[in-house]
Amino acid sequence: MSNRIIANVTNRQTRVAILEDGRLTELMVERGERVVGNIYKCRVENVVRGLDAAFVECGLDKNVFLHVSDAVPEEPSRRDMRRKMSAFPPIGQVVQQGQEFLVQIVKGPLGDKGARGTRRISLPGRYLVLMTDTSEKVGVSKKIEDEEERKRLRALGREICPDEFGIIVRTRAQGATRQELEDDVRFLTRLWQTIQGRTQQAKAPALIHEDLSLVLEVLRDVFSADVDEFTIDDKVTYDKVLNLLHNIAPQLRDRVKLYRQDEPIFTHYDIESQIERALQPKVWLPHGGWLNIEQTEALTTIDVNTGKFTGRSLEETVLRTNLDAADEVANQLKLRDIGGIIVIDFIDMDKPGHRKKVTAALRKAFEHDRMKTRIMHITRLGLVEMTRKRTSESLSQTLQTTCPCCSGHGRILSAETVAATMEREIRRLARAGDERIFHVMAAPEVVIEFIGPFGEYVDDLEEDLDCEVYARVENRMSPEHYEIIPLENRRTLRRIRRRSTGHQIEIRPEDVVRVPEMGLVGCVDGLVIYVPEVSPDTDNPVQVRLTKVMNSYARATPVSK
């Protein structure tokens, strides 16, 4: 099997795809700030006895949820976790309002919920995880099945485990030497000392330690001798990866490649079309059956259907379809990064032996999933309940947003996703033809995302392609639709009303399309205008003077009366 990691890095977002024989099996997207794995010095804002939890201020948009099971200083035993609430003291005895301590984010924000944290800090390395909350406890990943290898790694772990720490040997440590494990321990203990030093100097709330970026995290957690090629389309990121590999795995440096072709990297490897299919609820199975995947806030349901498949008998048709579904369910949950409670509705099977086969196939399909899963037995009705660890939003929650036209009953592509698609299309057109002027029309939020918070995205695009881009708002356009018109010369731009520096414009309340903390963003004759000095709560027309006019946007200052 050919395994590849493909990284697409831009100033707008970073996407990393994992391919097996050309098939997309995982897609990770990084936009803006990543918080999972970060360590903060926090202050307890509120202790909620009714939830046996506290909300702590870390400097994020929302306070972090800290349950009593995550607030106790030492990791609870399995017996305590089975006893659940009776095993823990009341939250008021564990933390007090105003108290300050370190918190690590274990689950990112999801919908209206804030992030979830823990006081038990763990630092992942390439082969080990250093546990700072326990003393000389050594664990070995359950995914290492060879008993002799488990014994060897456990013995090595006990020998190298530093005092007052615990370690967990990761799956990728199979075959690792003592020197490699010792190097990991040495690096992680030095990192912990650095974190402690920063904690003493920082004033809560403060970020103490930021986890690796997406590409470097994949390098640490996924890239190994089993991966044939790691291809990156950004030179700066490529150099960072090589520098890090020089210290941790120099034998893998020749597998890292820099992508230099004009064609977008995800298009070249046929990833874009696979992403589009991953956002559809219907998934076809190899023999003609199909799955229907529906996500809700509480759980995800997966319905299995025979579709066009007909075997020699009803029992054969049902069993074959369910076995196909068991394998594809694992692929889809990993690809779509779906977590939480999942209910799979297999087709009813009368024979207990068939139900056992399907359950065994489902468990086997999840053996290589990096997320922790728990699968219950199949019922006589064909239902299987399972859970999959969730640390962040799913793929659809990342790439799509609630449709403003249907009030959340359906989903459409987010403004960020459409803007990124527009940028890729302009790059393709610029490299395929001779045109260097482009007239772009889209919905207001899409144009604003395309331009960038300070106009930097469209400025970088024009400089990179040596072209001119005139982006204009078209209010009647659907948020998912856009139009890009290549132009031969500026004479064809007459339909676009041009503005110049010093020109005075009136921005009416209905022209305002976004209100940041200070200032406003308006749209007049399709042109996006940033006015940072205006009070955002204005309900009256504002007279402004243009101070800077670019092809796709302008800046202005209010005219004093």
Side-chain angles (χ1 to χ4, degrees):
M1 180 179 291
S2 172
N3 295 325
R4 277 194 173 102
I5 300 175
I6 310 297
N8 169 223
V9 182
T10 66
N11 59 357
R12 185 188 304 276
Q13 65 180 3
T14 297
R15 300 183 296 172
V16 177
I18 300 177
L19 304 180
E20 294 180 0
D21 285 337
R23 180 183 182 184
L24 181 64
T25 58
E26 286 188 64
L27 177 69
M28 291 155 276
V29 181
E30 179 181 70
R31 289 175 176 169
E33 183 182 17
R34 299 177 75 236
V35 297
V36 175
N38 289 358
I39 299 172
Y40 298 86
K41 185 174 184 180
C42 72
R43 182 187 302 110
V44 179
E45 190 80 8
N46 193 16
V47 177
V48 186
R49 290 174 174 79
L51 298 177
D52 241 344
F55 289 90
V56 299
E57 184 182 0
C58 294
L60 302 176
D61 292 338
K62 294 183 180 180
N63 287 343
V64 173
F65 179 79
L66 184 68
H67 188 258
V68 65
S69 60
D70 294 309
V72 291
E74 293 191 5
E75 184 177 7
S77 65
R78 292 184 181 178
R79 179 183 176 186
D80 287 343
M81 290 304 294
R82 283 195 296 267
R83 291 167 56 197
K84 295 186 178 178
M85 297 316 304
S86 61
F88 301 107
I91 186 66
Q93 296 180 15
V94 180
V95 299
Q96 290 77 42
Q97 188 171 353
Q99 185 179 354
E100 297 181 359
F101 46 76
L102 289 181
V103 159
Q104 186 172 35
I105 306 301
V106 295
K107 184 181 294 185
L110 185 64
D112 295 330
K113 299 177 182 177
R116 180 165 181 163
T118 180
R119 293 182 67 180
R120 299 188 295 276
I121 310 299
S122 60
L123 302 175
R126 187 166 177 81
Y127 301 108
L128 306 170
V129 177
L130 185 70
M131 314 295 292
T132 65
D133 66 302
T134 186
S135 178
E136 298 182 10
K137 177 182 176 181
V138 177
V140 179
S141 169
K142 293 180 180 179
K143 293 186 178 181
I144 300 178
E145 298 178 351
D146 189 319
E147 196 57 39
E148 290 300 318
E149 180 67 0
R150 292 180 63 86
K151 289 180 181 178
R152 183 185 77 89
L153 292 173
R154 192 180 297 276
L156 277 177
R158 287 176 178 148
E159 293 174 12
I160 65 175
C161 183
D163 296 337
E164 300 181 359
F165 289 96
I167 60 172
I168 297 175
V169 182
R170 306 184 70 177
T171 307
R172 70 183 314 146
Q174 294 182 85
T177 64
R178 179 191 180 101
Q179 184 63 47
E180 288 173 325
L181 300 183
E182 285 181 340
D183 290 344
D184 234 17
V185 168
R186 194 175 301 112
F187 169 76
L188 294 174
T189 50
R190 284 202 303 263
L191 177 59
W192 178 240
Q193 291 171 1
T194 302
I195 290 172
Q196 288 182 309
R198 291 175 181 170
T199 303
Q200 294 176 358
Q201 300 174 4
K203 182 179 179 181
L207 173 63
I208 302 299
H209 169 71
E210 187 172 11
D211 203 14
L212 297 176
S213 65
L214 176 59
V215 173
L216 298 184
E217 180 187 351
V218 170
L219 178 71
R220 179 191 68 194
D221 296 343
V222 181
F223 189 45
S224 66
D226 296 331
V227 177
D228 301 302
E229 191 174 289
F230 192 164
T231 307
I232 306 168
D233 66 353
D234 178 67
K235 182 65 166 61
V236 174
T237 307
Y238 169 79
D239 291 337
K240 287 181 181 179
V241 168
L242 288 183
N243 290 336
L244 186 57
L245 281 176
H246 179 75
N247 297 321
I248 64 174
Q251 70 278 10
L252 298 178
R253 281 170 56 97
D254 61 343
R255 302 193 185 194
V256 181
K257 311 293 182 185
L258 177 62
Y259 183 82
R260 299 177 181 273
Q261 299 184 37
D262 289 339
E263 185 180 28
I265 188 170
F266 269 34
T267 303
H268 179 78
Y269 287 99
D270 191 33
I271 298 173
E272 297 289 5
S273 60
Q274 296 188 62
I275 294 174
E276 291 179 10
R277 290 196 295 270
L279 297 174
Q280 302 300 319
K282 192 172 186 176
V283 180
W284 286 101
L285 300 175
H287 291 86
W290 54 277
L291 306 177
N292 190 69
I293 303 174
E294 294 291 341
Q295 290 180 252
T296 67
E297 187 173 351
L299 53 83
T300 297
T301 61
I302 303 176
D303 184 34
V304 182
N305 300 273
T306 55
K308 299 180 290 186
F309 178 54
T310 54
R312 288 176 295 184
S313 66
L314 177 61
E315 288 183 348
E316 180 191 350
T317 300
V318 170
L319 178 60
R320 182 69 267 167
T321 302
N322 283 341
L323 289 174
D324 287 346
D327 186 58
E328 190 60 35
V329 163
N331 293 332
Q332 292 298 321
L333 292 184
K334 286 190 291 184
L335 173 58
R336 299 171 188 237
D337 199 14
I338 295 174
I341 300 172
I342 300 152
V343 177
I344 309 168
D345 183 12
F346 287 103
I347 304 169
D348 294 352
M349 294 171 286
D350 294 330
K351 292 184 178 181
H354 287 184
R355 292 198 292 269
K356 287 182 180 179
K357 280 186 179 181
V358 172
T359 304
L362 186 64
R363 288 182 172 147
K364 182 176 178 59
F366 279 99
E367 284 181 353
H368 300 292
D369 191 352
R370 293 187 291 120
M371 293 298 176
K372 183 179 179 181
T373 58
R374 184 183 179 193
I375 301 172
M376 310 302 290
H377 293 289
I378 192 168
T379 68
R380 289 184 62 86
L381 296 177
L383 296 178
V384 171
E385 297 175 0
M386 66 170 289
T387 60
R388 185 173 184 268
K389 185 178 179 181
R390 176 171 57 194
T391 59
S392 59
E393 293 182 329
S394 68
L395 184 66
S396 67
Q397 290 168 327
T398 301
L399 299 184
Q400 297 176 310
T401 188
T402 303
C403 175
C405 304
C406 64
S407 302
H409 295 293
R411 298 184 69 82
I412 62 171
L413 295 175
S414 67
E416 289 178 326
T417 303
V418 177
T421 304
M422 288 165 52
E423 180 179 328
R424 290 194 295 271
E425 179 69 10
I426 291 174
R427 289 183 180 277
R428 185 189 68 79
L429 291 171
R431 287 164 178 158
D434 298 326
E435 292 86 0
R436 282 295 176 268
I437 302 175
F438 298 93
H439 180 199
V440 180
M441 292 175 288
E445 286 298 323
V446 174
V447 171
I448 291 174
E449 289 294 340
F450 175 76
I451 293 171
F454 302 101
E456 67 273 25
Y457 294 154
V458 72
D459 289 347
D460 290 347
L461 182 64
E462 289 181 320
E463 182 179 355
D464 190 24
L465 298 178
D466 190 24
C467 69
E468 297 177 28
V469 178
Y470 295 85
R472 292 296 184 270
V473 168
E474 184 60 61
N475 289 305
R476 291 173 294 180
M477 272 192 163
S478 161
E480 275 193 310
H481 296 158
Y482 60 87
E483 187 174 358
I484 299 174
I485 305 174
L487 304 174
E488 294 182 359
N489 52 62
R490 292 187 182 87
R491 287 196 301 271
T492 52
L493 284 171
R494 291 173 181 172
R495 58 180 296 188
I496 301 176
R497 186 170 181 182
R498 306 289 296 277
R499 303 284 184 174
S500 58
T501 303
H503 193 95
Q504 288 192 23
I505 294 177
E506 182 182 81
I507 299 179
R508 299 167 298 178
E510 58 266 30
D511 296 330
V512 176
V513 292
R514 181 178 290 185
V515 181
E517 291 184 3
M518 287 301 297
L520 58 82
V521 181
C523 174
V524 178
D525 294 329
L527 179 67
V528 172
I529 303 175
Y530 297 92
V531 191
E533 302 171 13
V534 174
S535 174
D537 58 353
T538 179
D539 293 325
N540 300 313
V542 179
Q543 286 287 108
V544 299
R545 178 182 290 108
L546 301 183
T547 58
K548 179 181 179 181
V549 180
M550 306 298 288
N551 292 336
S552 294
Y553 67 95
R555 294 188 181 280
T557 185
V559 177
S560 57
K561 296 181 180 180

